[in-house]
């Protein structure tokens, strides 16, 4: 089965709310990916997306191997919209921040450590150009007190940059 046909199959299955149509002999064995809504959330919203090991294992299984350089190899139904360059800065100008994920257990449930929620992000020095940040990316972390309702947090979500 071609990658294009697989992509169409995935899109159709997800639109129908079922991943059972993904059981195809042309795909690698493995658990099915999570069903995602494609809804984008405001940075201050009380929402944490789950990215599980099962989702990660699907990258090779569902990617289009014929996708060109700098093209998304995943079906649009499995990806989120592009984040705009003027997305709010939660590092107070210290670093470029992108690709952020929370500290979770093996089931994707977020938890706190010593009363602090922790997230990790790809970060780069702000002296670099926006597009040059990928060359010098490192993993940074942010923390905030756990259990504070979203409507009581500061505008940046209450996150403090903890460094690399």
């Amino acid at each position: 089965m071609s990658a294009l046909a697989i992509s169409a199959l995935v899109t159709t299955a997800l639109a129908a709310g079922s991943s059972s149509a993904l059981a195809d002999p042309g795909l690698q064995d493995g658990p099915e990916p999570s069903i995602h809504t494609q809804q984008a959330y405001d940075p201050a919203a009380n929402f944490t997306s789950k990215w599980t090991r099962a989702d990660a294992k699907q990258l090779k299984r569902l990617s289009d191997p014929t996708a060109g350089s700098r093209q998304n190899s995943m079906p649009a139904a499995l990806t989120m919209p592009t984040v705009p360059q003027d997305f709010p800065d939660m590092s107070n100008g210290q670093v470029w921040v992108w690709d952020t994920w929370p500290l979770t257990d093996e089931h994707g449930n977020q938890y706190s450590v010593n009363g602090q929620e922790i997230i990790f992000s790809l970060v780069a020095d702000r002296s670099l150009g926006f597009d040059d940040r990928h060359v010098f990316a490192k993993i940074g972390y942010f923390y905030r007190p756990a259990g504070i309702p979203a409507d009581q947090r500061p505008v940046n979500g209450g996150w403090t940059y903890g460094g690399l």
Side-chain angles (χ1 to χ4, degrees):
M1 177 176 271
S2 75
L4 184 57
I6 291 171
S7 293
L9 182 64
V10 169
T11 302
T12 301
L14 292 175
S18 167
S19 60
S20 62
L22 298 176
D24 178 273
L27 298 176
Q28 296 181 45
D29 289 333
E32 302 300 338
S34 300
I35 303 296
H36 297 281
T37 65
Q38 298 310 103
Q39 181 177 349
Y41 290 84
D42 183 277
N46 189 17
F47 174 80
T48 301
S49 175
K50 289 189 178 184
W51 176 251
T52 65
R53 285 185 172 100
D55 291 319
K57 288 180 179 181
Q58 298 309 308
L59 291 178
K60 184 174 181 182
R61 183 173 189 232
L62 299 175
S63 290
D64 176 359
T66 64
S69 175
R70 296 185 177 260
Q71 289 183 337
N72 188 351
S73 66
M74 296 297 289
L78 299 180
T79 61
M80 289 301 293
T82 301
V83 176
Q85 199 167 355
D86 63 350
F87 192 78
D89 173 24
M90 59 191 231
S91 78
N92 295 320
Q94 297 178 67
V95 291
W96 291 116
V97 180
W98 71 105
D99 290 359
T100 302
W101 59 99
L103 177 65
T104 65
D105 64 19
E106 66 273 12
H107 303 291
N109 298 310
Q110 186 174 5
Y111 57 86
S112 62
V113 175
N114 296 328
Q116 300 290 312
E117 294 177 336
I118 300 170
I119 57 175
F120 303 96
S121 300
L122 291 179
V123 299
D125 191 279
R126 280 277 181 156
S127 65
L128 299 167
F130 184 75
D131 291 329
D132 293 332
R133 70 193 194 281
H134 297 289
V135 177
F136 301 98
K138 297 185 181 197
I139 296 177
Y141 75 98
F142 295 80
Y143 61 92
R144 71 178 178 195
I148 296 177
D151 63 350
Q152 295 177 17
R153 295 182 192 139
V155 73
N156 76 345
W159 295 108
T160 299
Y161 179 57
L164 301 177

